Amino acid sequence: IKVLNTDDQSIKNATELANRFTNYLSIITRIPVSHKRPRIRKTQGGKYTNTISFSIGAVLVKPQDLDVSQLYAFLSSDSRLHQHLNQAQTGLKALLDNNFTEAIKSFYMIIEKQKSPESTQYLPLRNAVSHEELDYSSTINGIAAFGITMKKGEHLNFNDPDIQNILEREAKNLMNIVLPIVDNELRNI
C-alpha cells in the first residue's frame, strides 16, 4: 500500500486498507494475519521526522487462488462484510490463543442479527461469557444445553477445566458455523 500524500487522512485511509487486507487474508488462509502501523517520514521545514514502524507479514502455508481483479475495489468499499471479516479474524486469533470466551463473542457477532437456529442456540452461551453474573432464566437454561449447570446470581467459572473444555468445543463449533457464512459473503462480492 503506497501513500503518496503524508497528510493525516491519507495515512488513516492506508491504515484502514491494511486492516481490511489483513482481515481478508486471515479468512482466506484461516490463519490470523496482522500488520504494524506504518513508518512515515515527513518533511517539516527541510527536516525529516519519523513516526511508527511499518511491516506486514503473511505466511501462506498452502497455495491460495486469490482473485485480485476486484480486490482493491472491495477493500476500498465500506460494507458490513468488513466488520464480519474483522470479527472472524479476531475469533481465529482468540481461538489460537486459547481465549475461548473472546472467540465465542467474536464469532457470535457475525450471526447476532440473523434469525437462525444457531443465533438462538448460541445467544445464552455468548451472554454467559459476556456477563459477570447470570440473572436470566433463559440464559441459565440455555447454557444447560451445552452442559453448564449454574444457578441465578452465579458467575461462569472460567478456571474450571470442564468449563474450559466446553468453551473450547463450542468456540470451534461456532467457528465452523460462521466461517462458511463469511466465505459465502466473500463469494458474493
Side-chain angles (χ1 to χ4, degrees):
I1 300 170
K2 289 185 179 181
V3 179
L4 301 177
N5 296 317
T6 57
D7 61 276
D8 290 341
Q9 187 61 45
S10 295
I11 295 167
K12 179 182 179 285
N13 292 345
T15 302
E16 184 174 7
L17 190 62
N19 290 339
R20 289 176 176 175
F21 185 60
T22 55
N23 292 336
Y24 174 79
L25 287 176
S26 294
I27 300 312
I28 297 298
T29 63
R30 301 297 202 252
I31 300 168
V33 177
S34 61
H35 69 90
K36 293 181 182 176
R37 295 195 54 145
R39 166 181 250 166
I40 300 166
R41 299 189 76 177
K42 292 183 180 182
T43 305
Q44 293 178 351
K47 297 181 181 179
Y48 288 100
T49 60
N50 290 322
T51 62
I52 312 166
S53 65
F54 174 76
S55 67
I56 183 167
V59 177
L60 302 179
V61 294
K62 61 183 181 177
Q64 297 295 320
D65 185 19
L66 301 177
D67 179 9
V68 295
S69 63
Q70 300 293 326
L71 190 58
Y72 183 76
F74 163 66
L75 293 175
S76 298
S77 71
D78 185 23
S79 70
R80 184 163 306 262
L81 176 53
H82 289 300
Q83 182 181 20
H84 287 177
L85 290 172
N86 180 267
Q87 291 158 341
Q89 191 264 9
T90 301
L92 287 171
K93 183 173 183 337
L95 201 53
L96 187 66
D97 292 339
N98 293 326
N99 188 346
F100 309 122
T101 59
E102 286 304 315
I104 289 168
K105 287 189 247 182
S106 294
F107 289 141
Y108 183 80
M109 289 176 71
I110 295 169
I111 61 171
E112 181 175 34
K113 293 292 183 187
Q114 296 180 355
K115 300 297 181 200
S116 67
E118 295 84 7
S119 66
T120 303
Q121 174 189 2
Y122 278 95
L123 177 61
L125 187 61
R126 193 290 314 247
N127 288 343
V129 300
S130 298
H131 301 290
E132 182 177 354
E133 164 180 309
L134 299 185
D135 52 1
Y136 290 109
S137 298
S138 59
T139 300
I140 293 166
N141 295 334
I143 62 172
F146 296 102
I148 301 172
T149 305
M150 295 181 65
K151 295 178 185 164
K152 189 173 184 174
E154 290 184 337
H155 67 276
L156 188 62
N157 183 356
F158 297 113
N159 298 308
D160 182 329
D162 293 334
I163 299 291
Q164 281 293 310
N165 289 338
I166 292 168
L167 295 179
E168 178 180 15
R169 179 190 72 217
E170 296 308 324
K172 289 177 179 177
N173 287 342
L174 197 49
M175 176 191 70
N176 290 330
I177 291 168
V178 301
L179 289 182
I181 291 169
V182 175
D183 286 340
N184 187 52
E185 290 175 343
L186 276 172
R187 276 192 289 280
N188 294 324
I189 59 170

